[in-house]
Amino acid sequence: MDFDSHVSGTVLAAVALVNAVTPGLRGGRTAEAPGGADLVDAVTAAVQHATTQPVPPVPADDAERLAGWADRLRTVIEHVEGGRVDDACTHLNSVLADSHAMPALSHHDGEPWHLHFHRPDAAESDAWAASLATGLAVVLGNPTLDRLGVCRAEACDRVYVDVSRNGTRRFCSTACQNRVKAAAYRRRRTAS
Ligand SMILES: [Zn+2]
């Protein structure tokens, strides 16, 4: 896919954040919402996808707030998966508004000027939420919309963004894809 590389990074970060911190099912097992130091690690690792600069550990209270934003981003992707584009876009608009998303050019740490999606003075959790929501907004506002989805494998609700050329991805991971293939193979053997 040919997104702006920063946009691609923020979308990957949004997907990683949703998958790391929202409870549900992962590859046939229960996915618990992490807490405490695990939550800080999970959030920090997720947002690292958005930047080539090393991200210092996200403060614990910001990590808690980002977990709340992640629930709302999951809802957006679930609406896309369900074909409810109006609901997805309306819901994402409310995340953009509530996180005070705002384009602003910035040049810090010796980097060339580049576009941030949050106010320079935003709290860290709001800044990340605004960035990740804006990345998703670029995807939702384009024919790339159907590149977002929820894993189709049984007992899995992790989300994905399909950045492949042909855009045929339906699973969160190769593990889930292989699980589904193996189950289909077993069904064929039983049927014959
Ligand atoms: Zn899966």
Side-chain angles (χ1 to χ4, degrees), residues 26-27 151-153 156-158 171-173 176 179:
R26 177 184 292 112
C151 186
R152 299 272 178 92
C156 187
D157 64 7
R158 298 301 93 179
F171 304 103
C172 71
S173 60
C176 271
R179 245 168 11 99

Side-chain angles (χ1 to χ4, degrees), residues 2-182:
D2 204 16
F3 302 129
D4 166 279
S5 66
H6 183 47
V7 169
S8 291
T10 58
V11 175
L12 291 173
V15 163
L17 181 71
V18 168
N19 284 341
V21 306
T22 63
L25 293 164
R26 177 184 292 112
R29 295 197 182 85
T30 304
E32 311 270 2
D38 289 344
L39 178 63
V40 167
D41 289 348
V43 166
T44 304
V47 298
Q48 180 66 69
H49 289 280
T51 173
T52 54
Q53 304 291 317
V55 176
V58 174
D61 50 347
D62 282 306
E64 292 275 356
R65 282 194 285 273
L66 261 172
W69 289 114
D71 287 336
R72 297 178 66 179
L73 297 178
R74 164 178 279 285
T75 300
V76 170
I77 300 174
E78 286 175 348
H79 282 317
V80 173
E81 175 71 25
R84 299 178 298 275
V85 177
D86 292 352
D87 292 336
C89 292
T90 306
H91 195 81
L92 187 55
N93 271 345
S94 73
V95 176
L96 289 166
D98 294 346
S99 63
H100 308 291
M102 186 194 92
L105 287 161
S106 175
H107 72 147
H108 51 87
D109 304 317
E111 292 179 61
W113 284 94
H114 56 282
L115 188 59
H116 279 193
F117 300 136
H118 56 82
R119 294 198 321 223
D121 61 344
E124 185 165 346
S125 52
D126 286 358
W128 279 119
S131 294
L132 306 190
T134 304
L136 286 180
V138 172
V139 177
L140 259 64
N142 278 290
T144 50
L145 172 72
D146 62 359
R147 295 299 185 115
L148 287 169
V150 180
C151 186
R152 299 272 178 92
E154 195 181 330
C156 187
D157 64 7
R158 298 301 93 179
V159 299
Y160 63 84
V161 58
D162 185 353
V163 293
S164 70
R165 182 187 290 267
N166 53 6
T168 55
R169 184 168 170 177
R170 295 294 175 263
F171 304 103
C172 71
S173 60
T174 47
C176 271
Q177 185 175 19
N178 290 338
R179 245 168 11 99
V180 169
K181 271 189 196 157

